[in-house]
Amino acid sequence: MRKSFLRLAFVCTAVAIVVLSACKGGVKDADLEKTVTEKITAISSDVSDASASVKDGVVTLNGMFKDDASKAQFEATVKAIPGVKSVVNNSTVAPPPPAPAAVEVTADDPLVKGVTDATKDFPGVKADVKDGVITLTGDIKRSSLPMLMKSLNTLKPKKIENKLTIK
């Protein structure tokens, strides 16, 4: 009876050792961290200053993603890696770029005065201003055209319609 009890105890102990060693034989944190780092390198265009650390199968992500979609997609990719228990995502999303500056358009009255001053040295040129658009008609020498256009562009009209005849 005593021998049967000892055999049973020995078998139970052996089974317990095998089960415990199998549980501890999971993926190592260093291996997980290497895998996650490789995945970060693969998506380098979507993230900057990225890093990952792993402790007891829990992956902590840091970095700045270009948008929410790429941040969420990368978190899902990391969660799918075998051996990852959970993911702590401390990464952020880059702010959107600033809106382009509005184009300053001069009102017609000051624009008319500026156009009159700019065209006074070009006797064959006639200019009309309407809704911020300067329309040029008449004749001009080819060598004088760049100087006229430069003068008119400094007035910041919406548009310059050049209908001049070049001599």
Side-chain angles (χ1 to χ4, degrees):
M1 175 89 158
R2 185 170 180 176
K3 285 184 181 183
S4 299
F5 179 71
L6 286 175
R7 280 186 205 155
L8 181 62
F10 177 73
V11 170
C12 288
T13 305
V15 169
I17 290 172
V18 170
V19 170
L20 289 176
S21 65
C23 290
K24 287 188 176 183
V27 181
K28 294 182 181 178
D29 288 346
D31 293 337
L32 285 176
E33 191 167 327
K34 181 181 177 192
T35 303
V36 173
T37 302
E38 289 170 355
K39 295 209 181 277
I40 289 172
T41 304
I43 63 154
S44 61
S45 63
D46 291 344
V47 65
S48 62
D49 299 327
S51 65
S53 60
V54 180
K55 180 161 173 84
D56 299 328
V58 177
V59 179
T60 302
L61 300 174
N62 293 298
M64 184 174 294
F65 284 85
K66 69 178 184 176
D67 55 32
D68 285 319
S70 58
K71 177 182 173 184
Q73 182 180 12
F74 187 68
E75 182 177 346
T77 301
V78 171
K79 283 181 180 177
I81 296 171
V84 172
K85 293 178 182 174
S86 66
V87 176
V88 177
N89 196 344
N90 293 332
S91 57
T92 58
V93 175
V103 177
E104 180 184 330
V105 178
T106 308
D108 280 351
D109 289 341
L111 188 57
V112 169
K113 183 178 182 314
V115 169
T116 303
D117 289 343
T119 58
K120 70 180 178 191
D121 296 330
F122 304 95
V125 176
K126 182 178 182 232
D128 293 317
V129 178
K130 183 173 182 182
D131 297 326
V133 177
I134 301 170
T135 304
L136 300 173
T137 55
D139 300 327
I140 192 167
K141 292 182 182 176
R142 183 174 301 277
S143 60
S144 300
L145 182 60
M147 188 169 37
L148 173 63
M149 296 305 284
K150 183 177 179 182
S151 301
L152 294 174
N153 279 318
T154 60
L155 300 173
K156 298 183 180 177
K158 283 184 186 176
K159 183 178 176 183
I160 298 175
E161 292 183 3
N162 185 354
K163 297 181 180 179
L164 292 169
T165 304
I166 299 176
K167 294 182 183 179

